Amino acid sequence: MNFITKLKAVFGNSRATKKHHVYDHTEAIINDIENDPFAVSETNVLYAGLNELGGYYFFQTVIVGSFHIKTIKGAQLKIVGHNFEMVLDSDMLELESEHSNVPKRSISKIDFQIEEADATKIDRSTIKQLVLTCKNHEIVFSIFELSDEEE
């Protein structure tokens, strides 16, 4: 957040205050959790990794933030890369977020099925954004840039 926006927030500009609050919300999540985030949205942080079990590959995600869901229709994750685009379906149709011990923060664990050939494309450097669609929610995540010492 730039200096002017912070200054406006201090003096009560409601739009600047909202931007400042959103930034603080995601920063608080990132600071509270040891692992490096994979991607971030305005009010959510996505942690992710690939896993293989018995020859089947999964893109495992944990979304921490304002996203809270209970559905029996599953979810989809659209991965938009630099030279590709793919849509992954959740491995389970029944999904339910858990409440966190922090107010207004939920934890949602969603695993997505992925083919072995597509698993090689899942890399921070090859992905532009992730779009999570579940029930009537659509969250656009941008890849979280790691500093040189974190990589």
Side-chain angles (χ1 to χ4, degrees):
M1 178 180 300
N2 68 28
F3 176 74
I4 301 296
T5 305
K6 287 181 184 178
L7 193 58
K8 286 180 181 177
V10 168
F11 289 108
N13 181 313
S14 62
R15 287 194 328 209
T17 303
K18 182 179 178 188
K19 285 181 186 175
H20 189 266
H21 173 72
V22 165
Y23 176 77
D24 287 347
H25 185 74
T26 55
E27 280 297 308
I29 294 170
I30 292 168
N31 291 334
D32 287 349
I33 299 174
E34 292 177 13
N35 297 350
D36 293 327
F38 191 83
V40 294
S41 73
E42 284 189 3
T43 59
N44 297 285
V45 179
L46 183 136
Y47 296 87
L50 282 170
N51 198 2
E52 183 263 333
L53 181 64
Y56 294 97
Y57 288 82
F58 298 94
F59 186 57
Q60 297 179 312
T61 66
V62 177
I63 298 106
V64 180
S66 64
F67 176 71
H68 189 87
I69 196 73
K70 182 175 183 179
T71 185
I72 57 169
K73 296 186 178 182
Q76 285 191 324
L77 184 67
K78 180 178 173 183
I79 301 173
V80 180
H82 294 287
N83 295 322
F84 69 94
E85 195 171 290
M86 69 175 100
V87 176
L88 306 177
D89 292 317
S90 60
D91 71 334
M92 296 180 61
L93 295 177
E94 190 172 331
L95 304 169
E96 186 171 359
S97 299
E98 299 174 15
H99 290 283
S100 168
N101 57 356
V102 176
K104 297 183 181 181
R105 188 184 295 177
S106 295
I107 301 168
S108 307
K109 299 175 184 176
I110 307 173
D111 295 344
F112 295 92
Q113 300 171 357
I114 186 166
E115 297 296 322
E116 183 178 2
D118 291 333
T120 60
K121 296 177 184 177
I122 304 295
D123 186 73
R124 194 180 296 272
S125 64
T126 62
I127 298 174
K128 292 183 198 175
Q129 72 178 11
L130 306 166
V131 180
L132 176 67
T133 306
C134 186
K135 220 171 184 177
N136 54 356
H137 297 283
E138 182 175 279
I139 304 170
V140 178
F141 291 95
S142 301
I143 298 302
F144 183 78
E145 299 295 326
L146 296 175
S147 65
D148 289 337
E149 53 195 50
E150 289 176 319
E151 292 179 354

